[in-house]
Amino acid sequence: MRFRTGVLIGMVAALTAGCTLAGNDTDDAASTVTLVTHDSFAAPQQVLDAFQQQTGITVNVVKKGDAGALTNALVLTKADPIGDAAFGVDSTFASRALAEGVFAPYTSPEADRGPQRYAVDSEHRLSAVDLGDVCVNIDTTWFAERGIPEPATYDDLVKPEYKDLLVVENPATSSPGLAFLLGTVARYGEQNWQGYWTQLRNNGVRTAAGWEEAYSQDFSGSSGKGPRPIVVSYASSPAAEIGDDGKPRTKALLDTCYRQVEYAGVLAGSPNADKAQKVIDFLLSQQFQVTVPENMYVYPARAGVALPASWTAAAPLPPNPASLPAETVQAGRERWIEQWRSLLGQ
Amino acid sequence: MSRAGLGLAALAAVPLGFLVVFFAWPVGAILRLGFVDGGVLDALTEGETWRLAWFTVAQAAGSTLIAVVAGLPVAFLLARVRLPGVAVVRTLVLVPFVLPTVVVGLAFRALWTDGGWMSIVLANAFFNVAVVGRTVAGLWALLDTRAEDAARALGASRWRAFRSVTLPALMPAITSAAAVVFLFCATSFGVVLILGGARYRTLETEIYLRTENLLDLTGAAALSLVQIAAVLAALLLGAAARRRRESALRLRSRRETARRPVGGEWAVIGGAVVVLGLLLTPIVALLVRSVSTEDGWSLAGYRALSSTGNDGTLQVSGWEAAMNSLRTATDATVLAMIIGVSASVLLVALRRAPGRLARGVGESMDAALMLPLGVSAVTVGFGYLITLDALPGDLRTSPLLVPLAQALVVIPLVIRTVLPVVRSIDDRLRQAAATLGANPLRVWREIDVPLTLRAVVAAAGFGYVVALGEFGATSFLARPQTPTLPVAIASLIARPGQLNNQMAYAACALLMLVTAAAVIVIDRLASGRVGEF
């Protein structure tokens, strides 16, 4: 009986101590900038702390799903923004955010270090923070063991020797899936991409809902050891698949890449705009950019930032990735997804 | 208004207020946006909409049927059998319930590639066997065995006695559980998305797609209306089934009713063991996965739990994420219990109140309180974004949102667990106590509390476990500084690299362990208290 009472008291104590409902934010609102971002955002705490020490600004990070969900959350709340700055709207969705007037113009002094190479609008409402290339990845061991030559281009993927070997993500539910679809539109044009996908379908392409399933379940080159040696992933993925011998076991096909640029901007209507601008400067600074590859698996947008050693060997930046103009993507995105779904019978 | 009426109104204010502010208003606002754009009616007449609705209902019905069939032997084992190991089973069946859907989806695909719609049905059932097993066992353990014994003495076979005496008495709990399971399956999201690929889609995945990716609020609103209508229909059917079957029951302690099985009962035990084996298969697969690498067995994933993952994927360590889970689940459970228990008491009072009006109000409220299970988490999440700025203190980016959203998911479950027991209390017990001179407080303390405490604690335990595993709303609302375990697992699994993968599966094992520990503590408390009356 006494034991039970003890447990009960312990539980009650744990309840009250652990209660986040009872606690409240002690952050001083004036020195806090709320940065709304997507689920893939990651930054070392010590870098954020250092920024806080230098400027007195605390960055309060709020995540809102993937790039699409983030953009939509920003559009829905533009009358009363949920934050002061946003990071993670990518080139696929940037046109939607710009058309809806989500961002305020701001040209960062850091932007002349390269990020403006990827500018999307003349008013500089968005600054490029990083870029990632979605490319077809292959399991090199699989091909070596069977003596089958490795594929290299989109055209190779529809050849009979690569039948039933490719897995792609659904563009309606996955951002690399959408990038790959846009890559095929860029390569074959608005008239012919459906013909290419018909060939892919006839060659036994498999579709997965998201990157996790495709990469860690279907792909043979990941630790999941799936059945298929060709997958749509990122140019940087092979850096994570380096074996004990120091050699990468997978490879990105650099002729099949589609570039996505991720942007940050000050939210229109933020009462904290001047401090939000400081956060944009921070995201473009050398200090933050150098953390980008290992934390978010993307390439820094700033020029002259050193890549980790494993990246130079396994994940070089593709020299000539494809991309489509933002307006073209904005005009076609939903229609192409719809056509893709009916084409693949899904 | 009479004093009793005032009391009822005060009691009603708590659950209704919560529901209006944190559910009806945000959801209504999103639906309104859809209507403003126009075209909702057009979307409703599309064949595609009805194909989606049909598949949604069909797969949910299939999963519910399987969960009930698999859950009943387990309920029997938990409620009526005195054998070593029953306590372990009680804990074990809850484990599937908290596993993140993305992980279970991966496990099912690893065990059964190309399972198609059957794998969706089975995975949904896998998650929900515990709902049936534990909800039904909650009532079954308290049923007086004497009516069944009398039937046996009059010459009925064991099966006949079960069918004509026990089963009707259990029916409220079974239909309650089935209603909850149906709602869970009709709105299950991650499982359908992963196992259905792009081929099998439900209303829920389509609402998600149109809201989150396409910003097609008109289409999403139309589909939400269909989904809400389907959920309401299911709830009304369930309510009708309950109305016909429900009656006051004699309740007894499990200590008096559990015994060693005899004769044909061993076959039922066998069935329960088969079910447990099937439930364990994906769990074991996950555990094996957490310790296997390219070069053999390794505990690297478990060691990595004290870190932030390969290259700092997480902002906090795996252990801190576990602590966050415990904390938010505690908050959510406390909230949900306050609201769910007051709602249950209110619903029973309305049902017993004289007049058809009160009863009608009670039944509509019963249905309304279940609706949060039938509305897409994205709809609620986006609804919060466009409404809660009107409240003082910007709740939209507040850490409070996670427990609030989790409570919304837990409340219907609390009501469905507590309500059948509160309703089964024979009012004559209370009248007798009152006649013997007990004041209302004393009646409540001596009759209501002891008889319902087990169900209340069971509901709290259940709710706690659901909150621990909740992923949909949490992933949308959780802050990176304070991820819960399921959110951390999802981030880890979304990165390439063997170590991240192993750490994700090790975190899954940790989630199972935390769940089991929570369930053991709560069950201990419950059985201890109930044994005293």
Side-chain angles (χ1 to χ4, degrees):
Chain A
M1 186 62 218
R2 190 167 284 160
F3 165 75
R4 239 176 261 133
T5 318
V7 171
L8 209 62
I9 292 170
M11 292 272 290
V12 171
L15 277 177
T16 29
C19 209
T20 51
L21 283 177
N24 51 4
D25 273 325
T26 46
D27 293 342
D28 183 1
S31 58
T32 299
V33 168
T34 300
L35 177 69
V36 194
T37 182
H38 55 47
D39 287 340
S40 309
F41 178 83
Q45 193 57 48
Q46 58 270 34
V47 175
L48 293 172
D49 290 345
F51 173 68
Q52 203 257 335
Q53 300 229 306
Q54 287 158 22
T55 59
I57 297 172
T58 310
V59 180
N60 170 34
V61 178
V62 172
K63 291 189 185 181
K64 286 276 167 266
D66 62 9
L70 167 68
T71 311
N72 296 345
L74 296 174
V75 168
L76 286 173
T77 58
K78 65 180 176 185
D80 183 12
I82 43 175
D84 306 298
F87 161 70
V89 171
D90 66 17
S91 41
T92 318
F93 291 99
S95 42
R96 177 182 290 168
L98 292 174
E100 296 275 355
V102 164
F103 291 100
Y106 173 61
T107 310
S108 168
E110 302 277 353
D112 62 358
R113 314 291 171 139
Q116 80 274 48
R117 284 178 291 181
Y118 309 105
V120 275
D121 78 319
S122 50
E123 292 177 63
H124 295 286
R125 288 174 291 180
L126 289 171
S127 307
V129 173
D130 63 61
L131 38 129
D133 288 313
V134 170
C135 315
V136 173
N137 279 19
I138 59 165
D139 175 1
T140 46
T141 322
W142 193 95
F143 287 100
E145 278 172 0
R146 283 162 186 77
I148 299 173
E150 294 173 358
T153 63
Y154 286 117
D155 283 340
D156 288 344
L157 299 177
V158 298
K159 288 180 180 163
E161 56 260 50
Y162 305 113
K163 191 171 173 61
D164 297 332
L165 299 187
L166 170 67
V167 55
V168 303
E169 296 86 359
N170 180 353
T173 51
S174 150
S175 69
L178 180 55
F180 181 67
L181 171 63
L182 297 180
T184 60
V185 175
R187 169 73 180 77
Y188 295 99
E190 289 202 47
Q191 306 308 315
N192 300 321
W193 71 267
Q194 295 195 59
Y196 176 71
W197 274 94
T198 310
Q199 286 177 286
L200 276 184
R201 185 190 64 197
N202 296 340
N203 211 27
V205 67
R206 181 185 174 120
T207 54
W211 178 90
E212 291 85 353
E213 298 89 271
Y215 194 83
S216 61
Q217 198 90 121
D218 292 317
F219 183 45
S220 61
S222 71
S223 56
K225 292 263 163 269
R228 297 198 169 216
I230 314 178
V231 68
V232 170
S233 190
Y234 298 89
S236 53
S237 305
E241 305 293 352
I242 292 173
D244 293 332
D245 56 356
K247 290 199 182 110
R249 291 168 299 197
T250 65
K251 179 166 124 184
L253 305 182
L254 300 187
D255 286 338
T256 60
C257 298
Y258 184 85
R259 174 151 297 173
Q260 281 176 314
V261 184
E262 291 191 319
Y263 299 94
V266 176
L267 291 171
S270 157
N272 232 348
D274 51 335
K275 295 203 171 61
Q277 293 175 352
K278 292 263 178 350
V279 172
I280 303 298
D281 297 347
F282 165 65
L283 293 175
L284 303 178
S285 69
Q286 173 78 19
Q287 183 189 11
F288 179 81
Q289 291 274 305
V290 76
T291 73
V292 155
E294 291 206 321
N295 283 280
M296 294 195 274
Y297 276 94
V298 282
Y299 303 87
R302 190 184 174 98
V305 177
L307 288 177
S310 58
W311 283 49
T312 22
L317 193 61
N320 300 308
S323 65
L324 290 170
E327 311 79 63
T328 315
V329 176
Q330 173 74 357
R333 186 177 45 223
E334 267 77 66
R335 190 178 72 249
W336 296 332
I337 291 175
E338 208 42 60
Q339 288 166 338
W340 182 92
R341 286 167 85 179
S342 59
L343 194 68
L344 275 280
Q346 300 178 331
Chain B
M1 202 186 272
S2 69
R3 252 177 73 184
L6 273 178
L8 273 186
L11 194 60
V14 177
L16 287 182
F18 182 86
L19 216 63
V20 166
V21 174
F22 292 107
F23 179 69
W25 178 36
V27 171
I30 282 288
L31 291 183
R32 196 182 60 81
L33 275 187
F35 275 99
V36 169
D37 286 348
V40 167
L41 283 178
D42 293 342
L44 282 180
T45 52
E46 274 174 27
E48 178 67 10
T49 307
W50 299 103
R51 264 196 302 282
L52 287 170
W54 187 87
F55 181 69
T56 307
V57 170
Q59 63 87 22
S63 305
T64 308
L65 190 68
I66 292 175
V68 169
V69 168
L72 283 182
V74 176
F76 174 76
L77 183 70
L78 295 182
R80 279 293 152 93
V81 174
R82 185 172 293 165
L83 281 176
V86 169
V88 179
V89 172
R90 182 187 301 282
T91 306
L92 215 61
V93 290
L94 265 184
V95 167
F97 213 76
V98 290
L99 291 175
T101 45
V102 52
V103 175
V104 172
L106 292 182
F108 262 76
R109 278 195 60 188
L111 292 168
W112 188 9
T113 338
D114 295 321
W117 60 269
M118 259 319 278
S119 67
I120 297 176
V121 169
L122 286 179
N124 273 336
F126 168 81
F127 277 109
N128 287 303
V129 169
V131 179
V132 178
R134 291 188 58 118
T135 312
V136 175
L139 184 62
W140 202 337
L142 301 177
L143 278 189
D144 196 336
T145 49
R146 277 176 296 185
E148 200 177 336
D149 294 342
R152 293 273 289 139
L154 292 172
S157 69
R158 211 174 285 282
W159 170 238
R160 175 87 200 269
F162 170 77
R163 235 178 40 215
S164 46
V165 179
T166 312
L167 193 60
L170 289 180
M171 230 36 204
I174 296 176
T175 47
S176 268
V180 171
V181 172
F182 182 83
L183 291 186
F184 273 140
C185 297
T187 58
S188 101
F189 166 69
V191 163
V192 181
L193 197 63
I194 294 170
L195 296 176
R199 199 146 147 239
Y200 298 104
R201 292 178 290 137
T202 59
L203 289 169
E204 182 81 6
T205 59
E206 196 67 12
I207 290 169
Y208 157 81
L209 199 74
R210 297 205 187 172
T211 314
E212 189 156 315
N213 288 26
L214 308 179
L215 203 60
D216 170 16
L217 293 181
T218 300
L223 294 172
S224 297
L225 288 182
V226 175
Q227 180 158 342
I228 291 169
V231 165
L232 269 178
L235 290 175
L236 292 176
L237 275 177
R242 278 198 296 277
R243 201 160 41 237
R244 264 186 280 120
R245 298 274 160 69
E246 222 159 75
S247 55
L249 301 166
R250 289 162 170 281
L251 303 179
R252 285 284 177 276
S253 154
R254 179 175 194 270
R255 292 219 180 134
E256 294 169 38
T257 59
R259 55 176 168 72
R260 264 184 78 81
V262 286
E265 288 175 357
W266 283 106
V268 181
I269 308 287
V273 169
V274 170
V275 170
L276 290 170
L278 291 173
L279 291 182
L280 276 177
T281 314
I283 296 175
V284 170
L286 293 178
L287 289 175
V288 169
R289 190 81 169 67
S290 73
V291 291
S292 42
T293 66
E294 317 247 287
D295 331 298
W297 307 109
S298 156
L299 289 174
Y302 289 88
R303 280 194 294 271
L305 285 176
S306 57
S307 75
T308 56
N310 201 7
D311 301 327
T313 299
L314 306 176
Q315 295 230 342
V316 300
S317 74
W319 295 108
E320 283 170 78
M323 287 311 294
N324 291 334
S325 280
L326 292 177
R327 235 175 274 137
T328 46
T330 304
D331 294 346
T333 310
V334 170
L335 257 176
M337 289 310 290
I338 293 170
I339 291 154
V341 172
S342 56
S344 301
V345 173
L346 174 74
L347 289 174
V348 173
L350 282 174
R351 201 176 157 72
R352 293 202 170 134
R356 288 182 60 174
L357 179 69
R359 224 167 297 150
V361 170
E363 272 159 30
S364 331
M365 255 194 76
D366 192 345
L369 285 163
M370 295 292 283
L371 267 184
L373 282 188
V375 171
S376 162
V378 224
T379 308
V380 178
F382 274 118
Y384 281 2
L385 288 183
I386 61 167
T387 50
L388 296 189
D389 55 327
L391 296 182
D394 202 341
L395 267 180
R396 297 175 304 167
T397 56
S398 153
L400 289 185
L401 266 194
V402 175
L404 286 174
Q406 290 180 347
L408 208 56
V409 182
V410 174
I411 290 166
L413 207 64
V414 172
I415 295 176
R416 289 276 80 91
T417 313
V418 174
L419 195 61
V421 180
V422 178
R423 273 187 184 157
S424 322
I425 298 173
D426 196 330
D427 212 25
R428 281 173 299 185
L429 279 177
R430 293 198 190 91
Q431 288 156 1
T435 314
L436 292 172
N439 62 28
L441 191 70
R442 177 103 196 256
V443 171
W444 183 75
R445 207 178 67 216
E446 301 286 332
I447 308 286
D448 294 276
V449 171
L451 284 173
T452 51
L453 193 68
R454 169 177 269 276
V456 168
V457 178
F462 224 162
Y464 192 75
V465 164
V466 172
L468 272 183
E470 208 287 327
F471 177 68
T474 308
S475 68
F476 196 78
L477 304 168
R479 303 203 297 183
Q481 296 92 331
T482 52
T484 62
L485 258 185
V487 171
I489 291 167
S491 322
L492 285 167
I493 218 157
R495 298 292 167 100
Q498 182 167 271
L499 185 65
N500 270 342
N501 244 284
Q502 261 178 281
M503 187 176 161
Y505 288 106
C508 261
L510 180 62
L511 183 62
M512 292 187 221
L513 201 75
V514 169
T515 312
V519 174
I520 289 169
V521 168
I522 289 157
D523 277 346
R524 268 202 78 90
L525 285 173
S527 58
R529 306 303 290 181
V530 172
E532 282 170 18
F533 68 87

